[in-house]
Amino acid sequence: MTFTVNAENKSFGGWHKQLTHQSSSTQCQMQLAIYLPPEASEQNKVPVLYWLSGLTCTDENFMQKAGAQKLAAELGIAIVCPDTSPRGEDVADDDNYDLGQGAGFYVNATEQPWAKHYQMYDYLVEELPTLIEQSFPVTDQRALAGHSMGGHGALVIGLRNPTRYTSLSAFSPIANPVDCPWGQKAFSSYLGDDTSKWRQYDASELMTDCQQPLPTRVDQGLADNFLVEQLKPEALERAAKKSDYPLQLHRHEGYDHSYYFIASFIEQHLRFHAEHLKR
């Protein structure tokens, strides 16, 4: 097997496994987790939901806090949670939480010192799904979901590769990174000053001109302290209106940016994806 299994735990009849492998895209060791539902076998392969986490997170946050395994077991869906960036002693980093290790933004960096390792877009679109499908009893039916920076990544990757996924969803995504401090800082560092490159990784820009839409659900808490300055769901809403994109945007009074919010609505997201994965 390409992967090294570092830990495994039985959960709701299935198995959670924490894995590492050497990545050709990021040129370093990558960590991830997979949850395989009880029915997954070589005779009965299951579809996969890829979950992309937010700033400062690892594969552990979603698996430990979202409470997704029970329903994933019932629905017969595997879940794959990659890390949020390359990591290691020789991997470029920054002292701030919103750049460098833990903050890959799911782009292919072109600027130094980031370009050598920060190729998260290629890693997630091509390398990781190929390895997962070669190593585990899963099909090539894939859905994408994520939170915050990971919501940005899920929407961007899905919008740019609509034939590879059945459906997209996001909690509190960075919806218009070219027009918010998090996105501007990351993109100028990873991609340089040419803002045309930035737009290739902006869900609102991509959705405005989308010709091949996917079923897409976004949930946003209205007590989120990042809502106005960083997340800007209204930009995504305007883009969907321009292209007649089938966006389901749900706003929730009182909910913040935390995993309490994610855990409250993860069932709706899993059922949303299951509807499309099982078609």
Side-chain angles (χ1 to χ4, degrees), residues 202-223:
D202 185 297
S204 295
E205 295 283 341
L206 294 168
M207 193 175 283
T208 299
D209 300 316
C210 181
Q211 301 298 312
Q212 194 171 351
L214 289 171
T216 302
R217 174 180 177 132
V218 171
D219 283 67
Q220 175 62 61
L222 294 182

Side-chain angles (χ1 to χ4, degrees), residues 33 44 63 84-85 99 110 118 126 128 148 173 218 235 258 269:
N44 186 41
M63 288 300 198
T84 50
S85 77
L99 188 68
T110 56
Y118 284 74
E126 300 291 346
L128 184 59
S148 194
V218 171
S258 72
H269 282 241

Side-chain angles (χ1 to χ4, degrees), residues 150-173:
H152 139 77
L155 294 176
V156 166
I157 289 172
L159 286 163
R160 288 178 59 170
N161 302 275
T163 62
R164 293 182 63 84
Y165 305 97
T166 62
S167 47
L168 310 174
S169 74
F171 288 87
S172 318

Side-chain angles (χ1 to χ4, degrees), residues 74-268:
E74 294 174 8
L75 295 172
I77 296 173
I79 301 174
V80 171
C81 296
D83 203 348
T84 50
S85 77
R87 296 181 195 265
E89 290 184 5
D90 64 337
V91 175
D93 199 8
D94 188 87
D95 291 337
N96 295 297
Y97 77 96
D98 52 357
L99 188 68
Q101 295 186 34
F105 274 83
Y106 307 104
V107 304
N108 283 342
T110 56
E111 301 299 300
Q112 298 303 328
W114 312 103
K116 179 179 178 181
H117 297 290
Y118 284 74
Q119 302 296 310
M120 289 296 290
Y121 179 86
D122 282 353
Y123 175 69
L124 290 167
V125 173
E126 300 291 346
E127 183 180 5
L128 184 59
T130 298
L131 295 177
I132 292 291
E133 289 158 23
Q134 290 172 349
S135 304
F136 295 101
V138 300
T139 70
D140 62 358
Q141 289 177 288
R142 313 175 195 99
L144 265 173
H147 171 233
S148 194
M149 178 185 72
H152 139 77
L155 294 176
V156 166
I157 289 172
L159 286 163
R160 288 178 59 170
N161 302 275
T163 62
R164 293 182 63 84
Y165 305 97
T166 62
S167 47
L168 310 174
S169 74
F171 288 87
S172 318
I174 305 173
N176 193 197
V178 302
D179 190 33
C180 79
W182 277 342
Q184 291 165 350
K185 179 177 180 178
F187 288 179
S188 61
S189 297
Y190 295 142
L191 305 173
D193 296 330
D194 182 356
T195 57
S196 66
K197 294 180 181 178
W198 300 11
R199 290 194 288 272
Q200 299 172 33
Y201 296 103
D202 185 297
S204 295
E205 295 283 341
L206 294 168
M207 193 175 283
T208 299
D209 300 316
C210 181
Q211 301 298 312
Q212 194 171 351
L214 289 171
T216 302
R217 174 180 177 132
V218 171
D219 283 67
Q220 175 62 61
L222 294 182
D224 192 318
N225 57 326
F226 301 115
L227 177 60
V228 175
E229 184 179 34
Q230 303 282 13
L231 305 180
K232 303 192 174 184
E234 64 279 359
L236 206 60
E237 211 163 32
R238 288 193 298 269
K241 192 170 292 185
K242 285 182 182 178
S243 61
D244 199 26
Y245 190 95
L247 172 68
Q248 300 178 30
L249 178 57
H250 303 269
R251 292 178 169 88
H252 303 276
E253 290 284 352
Y255 286 92
D256 60 16
H257 200 70
S258 72
Y259 266 83
Y260 294 107
F261 175 43
I262 295 168
S264 297
F265 296 97
I266 192 62
E267 178 177 349
Q268 288 88 328

